[in-house]
Amino acid sequence: MLEKIKEEVCRWNKELPKHNLVKWTSGNVSYKDPETNLVVIKPSGVMFDDLEPNMMSVVDLEGNVIEGDLKPSVDTKSHLYVYKHTDGINSIVHTHSPFATSFAIRGKNLDTYTTTAANMFKRTVKCTDFAIIGEEEIGKQIVENYDNDKAMLLRNHGVFTFAETCEDAVKNAVLLEEVAEYTHYALLHQDSTVQPLDQEAIEKSNEFYKNNYGQKNRRRL
């Protein structure tokens, strides 16, 4: 069942440690199949290097395990809540990447200081209130604050990113960590000349990026 999707979800989960977005077994990638509304997600507590496609958990939107011998991620209920209450999201990535999570620990939004941030995240990456892990509370925080965002910080927890494909959701997580790292170092200087980009610069940069960057008509999960 959903063999191709399980391969893709496994592949993109294994990308997370390569980009220093996760440690040990924390973090996950999921994908909601738009045809069946079934969700494929990483199993709980399995080392990323050990993951294989047949280990992926397949669940319905109510959290019932449809296929898989391993327990799904403890974040599954929050992923499902987001899928059920938003449009246009087919993949969710959760990480504890160090620089982005440092903003989450402080309860700070990550404002846009670079053109990369403008291209990907526009004005700011919001930080939500704190929520307990394990049930739907994190998903509720995301949905409450969601406005077609590509990424969100969860206070005292970590990072969630969103997209139509696994590749783009992971890309959002990678670039968010890059932006957070550079912003962290810049703000260490305590220099009053360090200012976020203004709205006009953000819009122009984002428009150029959307219309000119990369290859078109690539289909990905």
Side-chain angles (χ1 to χ4, degrees), residues 13 23-27 42-52 55-56 70-71:
N13 269 287
K23 303 289 187 185
W24 204 241
T25 62
S26 296
K42 174 184 175 286
S44 178
V46 178
M47 300 295 288
F48 287 90
D49 284 347
D50 295 336
L51 289 175
E52 297 179 1
M55 295 179 177
M56 299 299 105
L70 300 176
K71 183 176 73 173

Side-chain angles (χ1 to χ4, degrees), residues 13 25-30 41-46 48 57 59 63 65 70-81 94 96 131-139 157 160:
N13 269 287
T25 62
S26 296
N28 42 70
V29 177
S30 72
I41 191 167
K42 174 184 175 286
S44 178
V46 178
F48 287 90
S57 298
V59 300
V65 176
L70 300 176
K71 183 176 73 173
S73 166
V74 294
D75 297 307
T76 297
K77 290 184 179 180
S78 286
H79 284 238
L80 298 179
Y81 190 90
H94 172 46
H96 301 145
I132 295 294
I133 190 173
E135 295 296 325
E136 296 181 336
E137 280 72 14
I138 288 174
H157 187 143
F160 280 79

Side-chain angles (χ1 to χ4, degrees), residues 159-196:
V159 177
F160 280 79
T161 60
F162 322 101
E164 292 186 9
T165 69
C166 295
E167 179 176 351
D168 283 344
V170 172
K171 172 185 175 183
N172 292 343
V174 171
L175 293 181
L176 176 63
E177 181 64 4
E178 176 192 296
V179 166
E181 180 179 3
Y182 299 163
T183 301
H184 168 81
Y185 287 128
L187 294 178
L188 285 179
H189 297 295
Q190 298 294 316
D191 185 338
S192 62
T193 63
V194 178
Q195 298 292 330

Side-chain angles (χ1 to χ4, degrees), residues 1-180:
M1 177 183 291
L2 305 180
E3 299 307 314
K4 175 62 175 176
I5 293 175
K6 286 191 284 188
E7 289 177 7
E8 287 292 306
V9 171
C10 182
R11 171 193 172 192
W12 290 108
N13 269 287
K14 292 169 83 74
E15 285 292 316
L16 299 184
K18 296 178 184 178
H19 297 281
N20 197 32
L21 300 180
V22 297
K23 303 289 187 185
W24 204 241
T25 62
S26 296
N28 42 70
V29 177
S30 72
Y31 181 79
K32 185 188 74 166
D33 176 30
E35 295 183 5
T36 64
N37 276 336
L38 296 177
V39 174
V40 180
I41 191 167
K42 174 184 175 286
S44 178
V46 178
M47 300 295 288
F48 287 90
D49 284 347
D50 295 336
L51 289 175
E52 297 179 1
N54 62 8
M55 295 179 177
M56 299 299 105
S57 298
V58 180
V59 300
D60 64 20
L61 289 177
E62 302 309 313
N64 300 304
V65 176
I66 305 302
E67 187 174 76
D69 297 327
L70 300 176
K71 183 176 73 173
S73 166
V74 294
D75 297 307
T76 297
K77 290 184 179 180
S78 286
H79 284 238
L80 298 179
Y81 190 90
V82 175
Y83 286 134
K84 287 192 289 186
H85 294 89
T86 58
D87 295 321
I89 296 176
N90 288 325
S91 185
I92 298 172
V93 172
H94 172 46
T95 79
H96 301 145
S97 58
F99 288 94
T101 299
S102 73
F103 282 85
I105 290 170
R106 297 173 62 210
K108 297 293 186 181
N109 294 344
L110 179 54
D111 292 329
T112 289
Y113 289 83
T114 69
T115 55
T116 299
N119 295 341
M120 299 303 300
F121 308 114
K122 298 187 179 178
R123 187 66 181 174
T124 190
V125 175
K126 291 172 282 193
C127 185
T128 75
D129 290 335
F130 176 72
I132 295 294
I133 190 173
E135 295 296 325
E136 296 181 336
E137 280 72 14
I138 288 174
K140 290 176 180 178
Q141 279 293 322
I142 292 170
V143 170
E144 182 179 325
N145 289 278
Y146 183 74
D147 184 21
N148 293 315
D149 303 273
K150 293 184 177 181
M152 204 170 291
L153 305 178
L154 276 292
R155 182 161 190 164
N156 296 105
H157 187 143
V159 177
F160 280 79
T161 60
F162 322 101
E164 292 186 9
T165 69
C166 295
E167 179 176 351
D168 283 344
V170 172
K171 172 185 175 183
N172 292 343
V174 171
L175 293 181
L176 176 63
E177 181 64 4
E178 176 192 296
V179 166

